[in-house]
Amino acid sequence: MSRLTRDLPRPSDMFARDWEWSELTAFAADEGPEATMAVVSGRRRQGKSFLLDSLARAAGGFYFCAYEATEAESLRRFGEELGLYSGTVAPMRFDRWEQAIDALLALGRERPLPVVIDEFPYLARATPSLPSIVQVAYGPRRPERLESRTRLLLCGSSLSFMGKLLSGTSPLRGRAGLELIVQPLDFRQAAAFWGIADPRLALLVHSVVGGTPAYRREFVRDDVPSGLADFDAWVCRTALSPRSPLYREARYLLADESDLRDRALYHSVLAALASGNATSGRIAGCLERPTSDITHPLTVLQDCGLVRREVDAFRKNRSVYRVGEPLIAFDHAISRPKLALLDRGLADQVWKTSRARFLSAVVGPHFEQICREWVAHFAAPDTFGGMPIDVSYGTVPDQEACTSYEIDVVVRGAVGQDNGVLLSLGEAKWDQVMDMGHLDRLRHAESLLASRGIDTSAVRLACYSGAGFTDDLRAAGARGEAILVDLERLYSGE
């Protein structure tokens, strides 16, 4: 570790982000003899700009944040800010981005220096050749690069654009020494960030706002529900109130993505997903369109991080799609169908008629995903008798009964030298006290898998509940017949 890395103080007002800060400071302090480049991306409101601005301030680097403007205006602003940073008497003037990028390379002649261009997609939209210009500037034998130790960081919130920046035939493919995606806070970090100690309340809030940091500070101005009894009123005065920035945020998330042409179609796809249509065929049927019409929108929404595709653990040719951002799921399930009433200030009336739908269509599926995240990131290896590697859902057909069993949490992992071992089958119920019937259902699914020749010798059955377990099921858990995971264990246990 270089001296610069040790000397870069972590901002006192930074919550979590230890790993991201470590990666960025290591990149900025790299003592290598040539200029290098990094790409930082992530959805808006995750704290990317805060991280990069803090990095530039701590290391004495240069930070430039673009906005939507013509090429000429952007170059003029860039020259003015670079002149202020460099201490020149007059603003620097650039006619072309080639000159501007070379000026950034010149900043790093004496030492490793972080140089940030934030909201890079805005610049590239006005100057489509900009990625190629950066590619040429970072040519392997170009003297300006070889004589510089500028650590250039390109940042953007359009995941579809930033994802393509280093892929396929992109000019910058192979040029970046670091690719960092700033993710939302996980569900435990989010609870701590919101200052919520009650796990049930924490999960309800997370089902609305997810792990986006800005939603607490900037969007609801630290309005945190005081307890479970205040949750309904909190929803009405924040997510369902036209006076709150949170009210329209879900619609603006799509506007950040330049690749979304027919936004009405994308909103309809998300609405179909929020209504429980999880396969491409059912989504197409809901929209009354051929399946081929929604293939591209689903791909783009995945690239944006707004939809995730999950492959069935037991039927690899089958997959489902789920909304990847809680606020969008909430908006399409609760707000969007009642916008006319909400715009008139009737949030209380809408919530009374929509609360049951929120618990079943929003919280229920979200709870299942939280359980999968707990297994992947927080469960101890000995909980499942091995190291979890792949956590998904699965469908087990029962041909004799002409039905199938949906398994909410399927865990595969490593046991000794063996990988891909089936470790666990689990069922998750947000609003039900789970009993022996749920365990018997899992046992039957296990026997069906064994009858198909699948090795179930290492399988441990698991019940995940937001409402608790009956005494009989707790006794079965104590005997080692089942792993029981409640809200307390999700938020604080292994």
Side-chain angles (χ1 to χ4, degrees), residues 477-489:
R479 293 192 300 269
E481 297 175 17
I483 299 168
L484 304 184
V485 182
D486 57 12
L487 288 172
E488 290 292 342
R489 189 170 183 182

Side-chain angles (χ1 to χ4, degrees), residues 6-55:
R6 292 195 305 270
D7 291 345
L8 287 181
R10 186 181 185 278
S12 60
D13 54 346
M14 179 183 292
F15 180 86
R17 304 303 189 197
D18 295 339
W19 178 79
E20 291 88 346
W21 183 250
S22 175
E23 291 293 315
L24 290 172
T25 53
F27 172 80
D30 182 6
E31 293 286 354
E34 302 170 354
T36 55
M37 183 180 66
V39 172
V40 180
S41 60
R43 291 205 306 273
R44 199 175 296 280
R45 326 291 187 199
Q46 305 306 325
K48 302 183 303 298
S49 297
F50 175 82
L51 275 167
L52 294 173
D53 182 53
S54 298
L55 177 71

Side-chain angles (χ1 to χ4, degrees), residues 311-316 318 390 392-395 410 412 422:
V311 179
D312 192 307
F314 306 116
R315 301 165 65 186
K316 298 301 183 182
R318 184 179 186 270
D390 179 67
S392 59
Y393 87 103
T395 307
V410 179
R412 294 186 184 274
L422 184 60

Side-chain angles (χ1 to χ4, degrees), residues 56 82-83 123 141 143 174 203 208 218 258 293 323 329 363 398 410 422:
L82 187 57
L123 300 181
R141 295 187 176 182
L203 197 139
V208 178
E218 301 169 19
S258 57
D293 281 5
V323 179
V363 182
D398 186 344
V410 179
L422 184 60

Side-chain angles (χ1 to χ4, degrees), residues 388-411:
I389 296 176
D390 179 67
V391 186
S392 59
Y393 87 103
T395 307
V396 180
D398 186 344
Q399 295 179 349
E400 289 188 6
C402 298
T403 187
S404 61
Y405 293 88
E406 296 288 335
I407 308 300
D408 301 320
V409 186
V410 179
V411 185

Side-chain angles (χ1 to χ4, degrees), residues 4 24 27-29 35-40 52-53 55-57 59-65 78 81-82 85-86 97 100-109 111-118 120 123 134 138 148-155:
L4 179 58
L24 290 172
F27 172 80
T36 55
M37 183 180 66
V39 172
V40 180
L52 294 173
D53 182 53
L55 177 71
R57 291 173 184 270
F62 175 64
Y63 176 88
F64 175 75
C65 185
F78 181 85
E81 295 194 21
L82 187 57
Y85 171 80
S86 303
W97 276 110
I101 299 301
D102 279 348
L104 294 182
L105 290 174
L107 293 178
R109 286 177 181 165
R111 65 181 179 91
L113 188 76
V115 171
V116 179
I117 299 182
D118 203 353
F120 182 74
L123 300 181
V134 176
Y138 271 72
S148 170
R149 285 189 286 174
T150 289
R151 308 304 177 215
L152 177 63
L153 297 107
L154 305 178
C155 180

